[in-house]
Amino acid sequence: MALHTRDGGFVMPNAWDGLSALMLADAGFEAIATSSAALAATLGVADGRHAVSRETHLEHARLLATVSGLPVNGDFEDGYGDSPEDVAATVQAAVESGLAGIGIEDTSGDPDQPIRDFDDAVARVRRAVEAAKGRIVITGRTDNFIQGRPDLDDTIRRLTAFAEAGADVLYAPYPPDLEALGAIVSAVAPKPVNVLVSPADEVLTVAELQKAGVKRISLGPWLYTHSMGALAEATDALVAGNLAAAATGLSFERIGELLARGKN
């Protein structure tokens, strides 16, 4: 929790494989996270539909932690289970795997009812906190905004309930604007708030988000999609017959240097 409570907080980028974890560690970041969306995409399945197992995600998180030597926060969707006890089992497994933190969302994996009922969501976070016993940072997260439920009052109600249940960090991806973000920060204070890149209406700088009281900034799948954007450009060049443009990028010498620094 030390990174969350210091002045200014920190940026926690999300890796998706061993090399990306090494690159982020080499750049000087002090902690990284998994991205459930990026992990799912690398496996060719959809995010948020229980298509990736708890065991697969744990193995992935252990790889990132091992090669980078950094604390890793697991973006573990709804905690991988139907019941609060299933969530507790996931938290225990994350502790045993050496993770530094784990996020528990109020999502359901059901596209017809993507957000769990309030009482169910709170019970799952409470059980996660009980299972953690202070050994791992618990992030309580509501996905109201990204699931088409632009209800700030309900979002704050959920986050404050998660905080009262003992969550260490609170998180609601993409609040509509800076004013809504400020309301969230104030509502759960003094507990720290994570922001995914920025509010929905404008991408702000790290300094601007920190001034608004944000303690942790994550990137979710966006570094992964950025790299896929570069692949798309190279693919277009290749289709057009431009081999030179498609053959640019990080050199194998540089990749070798990074791999040699790996902790495994």
Side-chain angles (χ1 to χ4, degrees):
M1 280 297 294
L3 292 176
H4 296 80
T5 56
R6 73 183 184 188
D7 289 343
F10 67 111
V11 177
M12 183 181 70
N14 305 65
W16 61 92
D17 63 7
L19 183 59
S20 61
L22 283 166
M23 292 178 70
L24 294 170
D26 187 67
F29 290 101
E30 298 168 277
I32 58 175
T34 68
S35 162
S36 67
L39 173 59
T42 66
L43 298 174
V45 297
D47 181 39
R49 296 293 180 264
H50 298 159
V52 178
S53 71
R54 174 174 64 192
E55 290 70 25
T56 296
H57 201 152
L58 283 167
E59 182 179 2
H60 171 69
R62 285 193 294 267
L63 168 67
L64 301 187
T66 299
V67 299
S68 71
L70 295 177
V72 172
N73 185 80
D75 177 25
F76 271 42
E77 302 187 45
D78 66 347
Y80 292 108
D82 292 332
S83 72
E85 289 306 313
D86 292 328
V87 175
T90 297
V91 171
Q92 179 62 32
V95 170
E96 293 171 357
S97 295
L99 271 67
I102 183 172
I104 304 297
E105 305 169 6
D106 60 2
T107 55
S108 68
D110 179 0
D112 295 325
Q113 190 174 357
I115 299 294
R116 294 178 183 273
D117 291 340
F118 176 84
D119 289 342
D120 183 24
V122 175
R124 293 164 71 84
V125 171
R126 181 178 295 110
R127 191 66 188 89
V129 170
E130 291 170 352
K133 299 177 183 177
R135 299 171 295 171
I136 190 170
V137 175
I138 299 293
T139 297
R141 166 174 162 173
T142 177
D143 276 11
N144 268 349
F145 297 131
I146 61 176
Q147 292 293 345
R149 292 167 48 126
D151 187 334
L152 179 60
D153 289 340
D154 183 64
T155 295
I156 289 177
R157 178 183 179 227
R158 287 171 180 260
L159 293 178
T160 54
F162 296 162
E164 290 168 1
D168 301 297
V169 181
L170 291 311
Y171 180 19
Y174 296 127
D177 49 39
L178 189 59
E179 182 178 358
L181 173 59
I184 289 170
V185 170
S186 295
V188 302
K191 293 200 172 182
V193 168
N194 182 91
V195 163
L196 175 59
V197 181
S198 267
D201 65 332
E202 181 183 5
V203 178
L204 303 176
T205 65
V206 169
E208 288 170 328
L209 289 172
Q210 290 173 338
K211 184 177 180 180
V214 171
K215 287 296 188 179
R216 190 175 81 192
I217 302 167
S218 59
L219 279 293
W222 297 117
L223 291 179
Y224 174 73
T225 58
H226 183 85
S227 70
M228 291 300 102
L231 176 59
E233 292 179 1
T235 300
D236 289 343
L238 184 59
V239 168
N242 187 344
L243 293 173
T248 61
L250 198 65
S251 71
F252 266 104
E253 289 78 12
R254 176 60 175 151
I255 291 173
E257 291 174 1
L258 289 166
L259 293 175
R261 298 179 190 178
K263 309 299 181 180
N264 58 345

